[in-house]
Amino acid sequence: MGVLVGSWLMKVVFISSYILIQSSKAKAAAKTRHLKWEVEYMHWFPDGREGVVIGINGQFPGPTIRARAGDTIHLNLTNKLHTEGVVIHWHGIRQIGTPWADGTASISQCAINPGETFVYRFKVDRAGTYFYHGHYGMQRSSGLYGSLIVDVAEGEKERLKYDGEFNILVSDWWHKGSREQEVDLSSKPMRWIGEPQTLLINGRGQFNCSLAAHFSNSSAAPCKLRGNEQYAPYILKVHPNKTYRLRIASSTALAALNLAIGHHKMVVVEADGNYVAPFSVENMDIYSGESYSVLFTTDQDPSSNYWISVSVRGREPHTPQALTLLNYHPTSPSRLPTSPPPVPPRWDDYGYSKAFSKNILTAPGSPPPPSKHDRRIVLLNTQNYIDGYTKWSINNVSLVLPTTPYLGSIKYGLANAFDAKSPPDRFPHDYDVMRPAANQNSTYGNGVYMLEFNSTVDVILQNANALKENVSEIHPWHLHGHDFWVIGYGEGKFSSEKDESRLNLKNPPYRNTAVIFPYGWTALRFVADNPGVWAFHCHIEPHLHLGMGVVFAEGAHLIDTIPNEALGCGLTGKMLMKNNNNNNGHN
């Protein structure tokens, strides 16, 4: 028996030593990747019609960042927008130890002023599919986004097996600029931005024409694409009988989407940078802020090409499908598919959407969530009026960001930088989520949910009726600085008495973005273990612009030095100027 135990221990020690050696190798091989970006407005043809986009280094979408887990990104960003600030949020990167690099204006940093340069320096600690985007005003609607792909660390082996990979960033596009959209949304009465004119795949779409116009049931004109690479479709070129990884991320400003590859099944293997238990689908929903990896096998007739389609979900579609081709070698990419594009589920088939979301479970062997929560915050999502202006509110508070970034004001204890009173943890028990509110008026606020460091927090996202009767919208919520376990979905109003036992604490997915469906609730659990101040908000750009978000803070006393460049506005800016003047006086 002693020999067996000794042998087992030796094996454990060997495995542990192997892991330590691998970890040490990965740490030694980690690199600092230096990047230099200039952000500016440019004329572009995203969908064949000329418009103005926000580009990076003359590119739209912005350059793809490719790194390995453990690498450090060192990025000098110069703002060449002549009349407005800019910040970049690294969506899905938790910013452990670098909360000032999260890229949220008025939360983690001051906006970078025209002509100024700001240095983002942070570690990409986990492999996965991510992206980046503007987080100032509605600049994401103007095309300020790009892909961020993190491969496994040097010396480590990717657990997924495939022969090649592609990366798709899907987005929506309007012919009206984001600044005009902001004015429309902030008008009284509100002028809604309407549905996007075009859906884009890697920044490319086709307006007022169709790649599938040769089918008899199509009323659209055929697209004339010769000579313009800016809106020619991004074609996926494949070889027969191979397995490919398709990375997909959604930077849409409004649209929920459905993606399909004609005649090919997809196996979902990753969600928001975390492995999931694989499951097969013919098409998949993807909401703003989400990212996935799927595997597909090229097992169809190689003499044909096949459609890849992206369609609107969750809103009555007035935007045509985005289409591109899966092009089999050696077939010419000019040979269009002989079958019509995939037909998506009906836009309001929420049962289909819920079934897909509930199929996403964490990969076997992943750590489960804590069994109990220390604090539960219930967030009611409502549409309201404030002085006749249309707003979105959370527990009857519409978020208005302060002039001083929360990170600096909390770290340094600056009084009067934001509302001292904490926002409410819940809404009135008798509120009827199925009908418009009796009192549709709301209030502005910028208070903070102060979380006990290392505590386990439950958030119940509660959907409700909007201003109009029989209207409740889908909202994808994104948490900065953390991933969370999605421990449950339900219909109607959440009840701790009847719904507690239905929560999944065994194998819930670990994510950074989750959706709440119309007239329903979604339950999340996370550990407040990352010192910083973090945004939590609806990822639909107009909804956030109209106040649909909250702010969490935890462990501010543990934050190391914050770069002065992140704090040079509002009260923190005055504090820095005072300190500098005092120091100069002593010299």
Side-chain angles (χ1 to χ4, degrees), residues 89-101:
H89 169 55
W90 315 97
H91 189 108
I93 305 302
R94 294 175 295 178
Q95 300 295 348
I96 297 171
T98 53
W100 51 266

Side-chain angles (χ1 to χ4, degrees), residues 168 201 236 259-262 306-310 322-326 342:
I168 281 180
I201 299 174
L236 280 63
L259 181 140
I261 306 175
Y306 301 87
W307 294 115
I308 298 174
S309 67
V310 176
L323 295 173
T324 190
L325 293 179
L326 188 69

Side-chain angles (χ1 to χ4, degrees), residues 143-195:
L144 184 50
Y145 44 72
S147 294
L148 199 172
I149 307 300
V150 183
D151 295 303
V152 296
E154 192 77 44
E156 293 186 8
K157 190 174 181 180
E158 170 64 68
R159 71 165 76 176
L160 304 174
K161 294 182 179 180
Y162 48 90
D163 301 302
E165 73 170 64
F166 301 96
N167 178 48
I168 281 180
L169 185 65
V170 292
S171 53
D172 40 14
W173 184 249
W174 283 259
H175 293 159
K176 182 181 286 187
S178 62
R179 299 298 295 273
E180 190 175 351
Q181 289 184 34
E182 290 177 10
V183 173
D184 287 350
L185 291 167
S186 302
S187 297
K188 185 169 68 172
M190 180 187 72
R191 301 183 185 183
W192 177 238
I193 62 171
E195 300 305 306

Side-chain angles (χ1 to χ4, degrees), residues 53 67 69 128 162 183 205 247 278 323 378 399 409 415 426 437 465 474 508 519 564 585:
V53 303
Y162 48 90
V183 173
R247 299 177 183 266
L323 295 173
V378 185
L399 180 65
S409 58
R426 54 190 47 83
N465 201 102
I474 282 179
Y519 299 110
N564 288 346

Side-chain angles (χ1 to χ4, degrees), residues 158-382:
E158 170 64 68
R159 71 165 76 176
L160 304 174
K161 294 182 179 180
Y162 48 90
D163 301 302
E165 73 170 64
F166 301 96
N167 178 48
I168 281 180
L169 185 65
V170 292
S171 53
D172 40 14
W173 184 249
W174 283 259
H175 293 159
K176 182 181 286 187
S178 62
R179 299 298 295 273
E180 190 175 351
Q181 289 184 34
E182 290 177 10
V183 173
D184 287 350
L185 291 167
S186 302
S187 297
K188 185 169 68 172
M190 180 187 72
R191 301 183 185 183
W192 177 238
I193 62 171
E195 300 305 306
Q197 275 68 62
T198 317
L199 301 177
L200 306 180
I201 299 174
N202 286 351
R204 302 177 179 202
Q206 294 78 45
F207 173 68
N208 212 22
C209 70
S210 174
L211 299 177
H214 59 291
F215 288 100
S216 59
N217 62 346
S218 174
S219 59
C223 295
K224 298 177 182 179
L225 300 170
R226 291 182 181 274
N228 200 316
E229 284 298 310
Q230 291 184 2
Y231 61 92
Y234 172 80
I235 295 174
L236 280 63
K237 298 179 179 293
V238 297
H239 286 77
N241 301 312
K242 301 289 184 181
T243 297
Y244 291 89
R245 180 180 189 169
L246 178 61
R247 299 177 183 266
I248 314 152
S250 174
S251 63
T252 58
L254 174 66
L257 302 174
N258 181 272
L259 181 140
I261 306 175
H263 299 281
H264 291 72
K265 285 187 178 292
M266 299 177 287
V267 178
V268 181
V269 291
E270 178 211 350
D272 295 350
N274 297 288
Y275 294 112
V276 300
F279 65 100
S280 178
V281 294
E282 293 186 355
N283 58 70
M284 59 184 293
D285 287 345
I286 178 166
Y287 300 95
S288 179
E290 292 187 325
S291 64
Y292 292 95
S293 282
V294 300
L295 300 179
F296 67 93
T297 301
T298 50
D299 54 4
Q300 299 300 302
D301 180 0
S303 66
S304 296
N305 292 322
Y306 301 87
W307 294 115
I308 298 174
S309 67
V310 176
S311 310
V312 170
R313 296 275 284 132
R315 308 179 68 87
E316 187 170 1
H318 299 284
T319 310
Q321 277 183 316
L323 295 173
T324 190
L325 293 179
L326 188 69
N327 170 218
Y328 270 68
H329 179 81
T331 303
S332 168
S334 63
R335 179 178 293 180
L336 295 175
T338 56
S339 302
V343 177
R346 183 178 162 82
W347 70 272
D348 57 355
D349 185 352
Y350 298 118
Y352 192 96
S353 303
K354 294 171 186 176
F356 174 76
S357 294
K358 291 176 181 178
N359 271 336
I360 303 171
L361 301 170
T362 193
S366 303
S371 58
K372 295 180 180 179
H373 63 275
D374 299 305
R375 181 177 180 183
R376 173 168 284 167
I377 301 171
V378 185
L379 301 178
L380 176 69
N381 295 234
T382 57

Side-chain angles (χ1 to χ4, degrees), residues 1 16 46 56 151 171 180 247 374 393 485 490 500 532 561 563:
M1 183 69 179
S16 301
I56 299 173
D151 295 303
S171 53
E180 190 175 351
R247 299 177 183 266
D374 299 305
S393 300
W485 290 274
E500 198 83 36
T561 303

